[in-house]
Amino acid sequence: MSTDTSATAPVAHAPSLGIRDVAELSGLSQDTLRWYEKEGLLPTVPRRPDGRRAYSERDVAMVVMLAKLRDSDMPTEDMREFARLVAGGAATHGRRLDLLQRHRRRIEERQAALNDALRALDDKAAHYRHLISEQLDCDGDPVSAEIAVQQRKGMPA
């Protein structure tokens, strides 16, 4: 599936999906899908004669892409810009690529910060495992037998 989409109606005879189906496919709630449309993150989804939304394959691909962008904490304004660029067609490929690469750099920076935090957490956990195994307090002094028992409480088996 391509992530390009447009505001046009689904291609004639192309199967369309309702909002419930798209919510299940994307992992987004129906309310979120409506909000995406209202906020201009999705082009206006065509309607069936009964007034229900009729998502095309392209619409679904765009929803799935937007869900991934949101999961990666892309700011809503950047998501809106991405959607606007997609609606602009092939002439916007370079600008879309630039927007995605900038967001990728933000993700890499966040990932590095999270990795640093994870290392600090692991180091602290290893420190506590050592203190417990050696029956020591935080200053390196031995603890009483009663404290040693309490130290081990809550430790994973």
Side-chain angles (χ1 to χ4, degrees):
M1 259 187 235
S2 166
T3 55
D4 280 356
T5 186
S6 66
T8 60
V11 178
H13 304 100
S16 64
L17 296 172
I19 195 167
R20 181 182 308 143
D21 299 318
V22 176
E24 287 177 17
L25 285 170
S26 67
L28 300 173
S29 71
Q30 293 179 39
D31 286 340
T32 298
L33 290 170
R34 290 182 193 100
W35 184 83
Y36 275 21
E37 190 176 343
K38 180 180 144 226
E39 290 297 314
L41 298 173
L42 282 175
T44 301
V45 177
R47 305 288 180 135
R48 296 180 181 129
D50 64 2
R52 294 176 185 248
R53 287 171 176 82
Y55 291 85
S56 69
E57 279 189 38
R58 293 180 83 166
D59 295 329
V60 174
M62 184 64 164
V63 167
V64 169
M65 184 66 204
L66 289 169
K68 297 291 183 198
L69 295 175
R70 192 71 196 140
D71 285 346
S72 67
D73 290 334
M74 179 180 269
T76 302
E77 191 52 44
D78 286 356
M79 291 172 63
R80 190 176 289 113
E81 176 67 6
F82 180 77
R84 188 186 69 71
L85 290 170
V86 167
T92 67
H93 283 172
R95 286 179 280 166
R96 284 185 247 175
L97 180 58
D98 179 61
L99 185 140
L100 293 174
Q101 287 176 326
R102 280 185 281 126
H103 184 58
R104 187 178 205 297
R105 284 190 295 275
R106 285 192 302 263
I107 291 171
E108 289 172 338
E109 289 168 6
R110 192 172 96 229
Q111 215 169 19
L114 286 171
N115 285 336
D116 286 345
L118 189 56
R119 276 189 295 278
L121 185 142
D122 288 343
D123 289 347
K124 187 53 81 173
H127 173 70
Y128 288 130
R129 277 192 291 276
H130 170 74
L131 292 177
I132 292 167
S133 72
E134 298 297 320
Q135 298 181 354
L136 301 172
D137 67 15
C138 291
D139 294 324
D141 296 327
V143 296
S144 68
E146 181 181 323
I147 297 291
V149 168
Q150 291 176 357
Q151 280 181 325
R152 288 188 295 277
K153 285 186 179 177
M155 281 189 63

